[in-house]
C-alpha cells in the first residue's frame, strides 16, 4: 500500500490531508474530491521518510521534488579533458600521455 501511495503522491496535483483518525490522499486542489487512498499513522510516517513531504499552502502535505533530493554529478576538474592521447615514439612504440590540460 505504501508503494501505491508513493506512486499516487508523485502525480501532479496529489496531496495528503489529515482526516479523521488517518490521512487521505487526494488528486486535485479541492477538499471535496473523493480520496483515492486512506493511510494510517504508520503509512504517513513511511511517506515522511521517503519521498519526504512539504507543507501545502492550503493545508496538508505535498511530496518533495525528487530533483531537490537527488545527488548531482561528481565535481569536474576545470582545465582537464577526460581521456588520453596515444603517441608514436621515434622508434615506433606507442606511448600514452597524461590527461589533456587546456591552456
Amino acid at each position: 500500500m505504501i508503494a501505491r501511495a508513493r506512486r499516487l503522491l508523485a502525480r501532479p496535483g496529489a496531496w495528503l490531508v489529515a482526516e479523521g483518525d488517518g490521512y487521505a490522499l487526494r488528486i486535485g486542489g479541492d477538499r471535496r474530491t473523493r480520496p483515492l487512498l486512506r493511510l494510517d499513522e504508520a503509512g504517513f510516517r513511511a511517506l515522511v521518510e521517503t519521498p519526504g513531504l512539504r507543507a501545502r499552502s492550503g493545508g496538508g502535505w505535498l511530496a518533495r521534488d525528487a530533483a531537490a533530493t537527488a545527488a548531482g554529478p561528481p565535481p569536474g576538474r576545470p582545465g582537464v579533458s577526460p581521456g588520453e592521447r596515444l603517441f608514436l615514439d621515434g622508434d615506433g612504440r606507442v606511448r600514452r600521455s597524461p590527461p589533456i590540460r587546456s591552456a
Side-chain angles (χ1 to χ4, degrees):
M1 180 159 72
I2 300 303
R4 180 173 179 232
R6 286 186 180 118
R7 280 194 313 272
L8 289 172
L9 203 52
R11 292 172 57 180
W15 58 290
L16 282 168
V17 64
E19 193 172 271
D21 60 348
Y23 298 87
L25 192 147
R26 292 192 161 102
I27 303 287
D30 195 354
R31 288 183 184 270
R32 294 174 291 184
T33 59
R34 184 171 169 241
L36 294 175
L37 187 67
R38 293 192 184 273
L39 296 167
D40 58 358
E41 187 67 26
F44 178 76
R45 297 270 181 210
L47 291 177
V48 168
E49 293 296 321
T50 305
L53 300 174
R54 60 184 168 91
R56 181 176 173 261
S57 60
W61 298 271
L62 299 168
R64 288 198 184 275
D65 297 330
T69 60
R77 293 176 53 198
V80 177
S81 299
E84 359 177 86
R85 284 189 171 171
L86 300 176
F87 292 100
L88 287 176
D89 280 341
D91 59 356
R93 289 194 290 175
V94 177
R95 181 176 56 93
R96 295 179 190 265
S97 74
I100 304 163
R101 295 186 80 52
S102 61

